[in-house]
Amino acid sequence: MAGGEGEGTSLEFTPTWVVAAVCTLIVGISLAVERLLHYAGKKLKKAGQKPLFEALQKIKEELMLLGFISLLLTVFQSRIIKICVKESVMEHLLPCSLRDREEATGSKPEAEGTSHLLRHLLAEEATATGYCASKGGKVPLLSLEALHHLHIFIFVLAVVHVTFSVLTVVFGGARIRQWKHWEDSIAKVNFDTSQVLKPRVTHVKDHDFIRNRFVGIGKGSAIRGWLHSFFKQFYGSVTKSDYVALRLGFITTHCKANPKFNFHKYMIRALEDDFRKVVGISWYLWVFVVVFLLLNINGWHTYFWIAFFPFILLLAVGTKLEHIIIQLAHEVAEKHIAIEGELVVQPSDDHFWFHRPRIVLFLIHFILFQNAFEIAFFFWIWVTYGFDSCIMGQVRYIIPRLIIGVFIQVLCSYSTLPLYALVTQMGTHFKKSIFDEHMQAKFVGWAQNAKKKVATNAGTNGSSHDGPSGSGGSAGAGAATAATSAFKGIQLAKLNQSQQS
């Protein structure tokens, strides 16, 4: 038989019906998944959910990347397993000890005797081992079985990450949608003319928002504030008084012309827009995977200690977001004793790390990926090597990892993500999600036309010798002024339109 008995039967001697049946099954599954994603994309576009549609496109990109990785591993596997190195190089930085390897090697023939796939892998590895042995007693750099397991791990990691990200945003979005009745109650008050026009003076420290968030003045107030922020993220992270105060601060700063602006709808759109970044696996996340695989050394228990990193980071993010609300309350309480009308906070980037609210999104992205990595790594080892494998570790290290993983997923979904959706609106600038997709497209098209006109006018005036000097600059300044006016007009039109809808 071609290729030898140990290597199995090649396609030359495989029945055509077997080849056709296997190809039909694989192609059928692939087409079904592709059609499902395509249908989901059409439904999202029809519903006007462009951010979620783009998130779906991001998932398809990840699947395409996985397919390309699979293709590379398959095409070059015969060459990879023939990369030969000295045997002493393979005895350092091992996930399991040499004794564990000897025990696994001793028990391997019995397990392989029942699996045709493992016999096939053993035959190819034997060929690679013989090839490297002929090169002066060397050994393969990576065995075919290890390459196959690495391939499965990359696929499992990507699938688990995408799944966990979707679940986090779905549950977090459901939590945020529960705040809609707060928005509706505020809208009813705004439509009640007698309530709006009724003059009133409010003692600041008697206000619900200040009373719940103000922790006093003095040397210990900062410490009490951080402790209050730390524990607040575990229960009632956002109250109605928080929502009302932050909403009013946003509208007063960015939408003063439209006090009836639907803040809740804007916040949902902003969260959906950010979801596109959360669901992707960026290059720096793959770097983290490589670093972890490098440090997964026997006796270090890296898989255990690294589980605390996203846990601590998530607590830090939640505490920071809660503390920003306290800072906003303190600013009002320190400036005023009593106010006429509503209590208004002042949004500012100064409250965020390095004055950049977007850093919080980056950290949440990293936390979700690292947590998904921990869970994916656990299940991959369990399915591939078994629960008693040396790479799995001891039970006293496994249980805490799983508990931390579940805790991170729940806390991020029901506390941290809703906090992020609300508190990051307290930056100096609003997000482009304040406009719907139709208005965004119009504005981008108008801006491009305005740039072309400015360039054309500047070129015409620069080449003209009859006009006064500096006319090109005047044209550019006029175009810039027109651009600013048009932008403000579009913004006010959008705000009024959103309220009418």
Side-chain angles (χ1 to χ4, degrees):
M1 193 171 292
E5 182 179 357
E7 297 183 4
T9 305
S10 66
L11 284 177
E12 297 172 298
F13 301 98
T14 302
T16 55
W17 68 269
V18 175
V19 178
V22 172
C23 287
T24 300
L25 180 63
I26 294 175
V27 172
I29 294 174
S30 301
L31 289 177
V33 173
E34 191 276 333
R35 286 290 92 189
L36 178 63
L37 294 176
H38 179 73
Y39 178 75
K42 289 181 64 177
K43 294 288 288 184
L44 290 174
K45 289 189 70 174
K46 187 176 180 180
Q49 299 289 340
K50 186 177 179 181
L52 295 181
F53 172 76
E54 293 182 357
L56 181 65
Q57 296 301 111
K58 196 74 175 179
I59 293 175
K60 293 173 71 172
E61 290 177 7
E62 296 299 332
L63 293 177
M64 184 182 70
L65 176 62
L66 289 173
F68 187 70
I69 293 175
S70 176
L71 177 64
L72 288 179
L73 291 175
T74 303
V75 170
F76 293 105
Q77 69 178 12
S78 59
R79 296 188 179 184
I80 293 175
I81 63 176
K82 288 186 178 180
I83 298 176
C84 305
V85 296
K86 294 182 180 180
E87 187 173 3
S88 59
V89 176
M90 306 300 292
E91 296 178 353
H92 304 284
L93 303 179
L94 296 175
C96 294
S97 64
L98 293 175
R99 181 185 302 176
D100 294 325
R101 185 174 68 176
E102 293 174 358
E103 293 177 358
T105 304
S107 61
K108 207 171 184 179
E110 293 183 5
E112 292 178 350
T114 60
S115 173
H116 178 74
L117 174 60
L118 291 178
R119 288 201 307 269
H120 175 68
L121 293 176
L122 181 62
E124 291 201 27
E125 289 177 11
T127 303
T129 302
Y131 172 80
C132 291
S134 65
K135 297 292 184 178
K138 296 183 177 180
V139 295
L141 178 66
L142 192 67
S143 69
L144 184 61
E145 184 178 2
L147 192 64
H148 178 65
H149 291 166
L150 181 62
H151 184 187
I152 295 175
F153 168 68
I154 294 174
F155 175 78
V156 171
L157 172 60
V159 171
V160 171
H161 170 64
V162 171
T163 303
F164 276 31
S165 299
V166 171
L167 290 176
T168 301
V169 174
V170 168
F171 292 134
R175 175 71 173 170
I176 296 171
R177 286 180 174 85
Q178 294 177 357
W179 302 345
K180 189 176 184 301
H181 68 277
W182 295 344
E183 184 76 28
D184 295 339
S185 64
I186 297 171
K188 290 180 181 179
V189 173
N190 288 339
F191 278 109
D192 189 346
T193 309
S194 62
Q195 292 293 329
V196 174
L197 299 179
K198 183 179 179 180
R200 54 185 174 182
V201 176
T202 303
H203 292 280
V204 171
K205 293 186 179 180
D206 292 337
H207 195 281
D208 291 340
F209 175 65
I210 302 298
R211 188 169 59 250
N212 294 335
R213 292 291 180 173
F214 190 72
V215 293
I217 300 175
K219 295 182 179 179
S221 62
I223 298 177
R224 289 197 302 270
W226 283 108
L227 289 176
H228 178 81
S229 301
F230 176 79
F231 291 106
K232 184 65 175 175
Q233 64 181 310
F234 302 114
Y235 66 95
S237 57
V238 177
T239 62
K240 184 178 180 179
S241 61
D242 298 334
Y243 180 85
V244 173
L246 270 58
R247 172 191 180 276
L248 184 60
F250 177 89
I251 293 177
T252 304
T253 303
H254 303 300
C255 313
K256 198 170 184 178
N258 185 13
K260 299 177 181 179
F261 174 70
N262 194 324
F263 177 73
H264 186 269
K265 185 184 295 185
Y266 156 71
M267 191 170 54
I268 292 291
R269 285 202 304 267
L271 180 63
E272 292 175 349
D273 193 48
D274 291 337
F275 177 55
R276 293 176 297 176
K277 302 175 180 62
V278 173
V279 76
I281 303 181
S282 304
W283 63 268
Y284 49 83
L285 298 180
W286 287 113
V287 171
F288 165 77
V289 173
V290 174
V291 171
F292 173 82
L293 294 176
L294 175 65
L295 299 178
N296 186 27
I297 301 172
N298 178 53
W300 287 22
H301 304 293
T302 307
Y303 49 81
F304 172 73
W305 298 113
I306 204 171
F308 289 92
F309 188 63
F311 175 70
I312 296 174
L313 195 59
L314 181 65
L315 295 180
V317 170
T319 303
K320 178 61 176 177
L321 292 174
E322 291 283 358
H323 193 257
I324 290 175
I325 302 178
I326 288 182
Q327 287 178 299
L328 294 172
H330 271 247
E331 285 185 352
V332 177
E334 291 173 355
K335 292 179 180 179
H336 306 282
I337 298 177
I339 56 174
E340 182 178 356
E342 296 291 342
L343 183 146
V344 180
V345 299
Q346 181 60 46
S348 174
D349 288 347
D350 296 338
H351 299 305
F352 295 88
W353 284 313
F354 305 105
H355 311 295
R356 296 181 180 273
R358 302 296 292 178
I359 291 180
V360 180
L361 179 64
F362 167 80
L363 293 177
I364 291 177
H365 186 194
F366 184 77
I367 290 168
L368 289 177
F369 175 81
Q370 194 168 355
N371 190 54
F373 175 84
E374 278 285 313
I375 302 299
F377 192 75
F378 168 78
F379 283 106
W380 171 69
I381 293 177
W382 190 8
V383 173
T384 305
Y385 303 105
F387 193 82
D388 297 329
S389 171
C390 60
I391 198 174
M392 175 69 79
Q394 302 174 8
V395 176
R396 67 172 181 267
Y397 293 107
I398 299 173
I399 302 302
R401 288 171 57 195
L402 296 179
I403 294 176
I404 290 174
V406 174
F407 179 82
I408 290 175
Q409 193 66 30
V410 173
L411 184 64
C412 191
S413 299
Y414 289 101
S415 178
T416 310
L417 191 66
L419 266 174
Y420 163 80
L422 178 62
V423 177
T424 51
Q425 312 309 327
M426 294 299 102
T428 303
H429 308 284
F430 60 79
K431 301 178 181 179
K432 68 176 183 178
S433 305
I434 199 171
F435 303 106
D436 61 17
E437 302 299 333
H438 179 67
M439 294 300 296
Q440 287 182 32
K442 280 188 174 182
F443 179 72
V444 170
W446 177 88
Q448 291 176 349
N449 292 333
K451 287 182 180 179
K452 291 180 181 178
K453 289 182 179 180
V454 171
T456 303
N457 293 336
T460 302
N461 294 322
S463 60
S464 175
H465 299 284
D466 298 333
S469 62
S471 59
S474 301
T481 303
T484 303
S485 301
F487 176 79
K488 291 181 178 179
I490 292 175
Q491 180 179 357
L492 292 176
K494 166 58 192 165
L495 297 178
N496 292 328
Q497 178 185 359
S498 65
Q499 177 57 34
Q500 292 173 1
S501 60

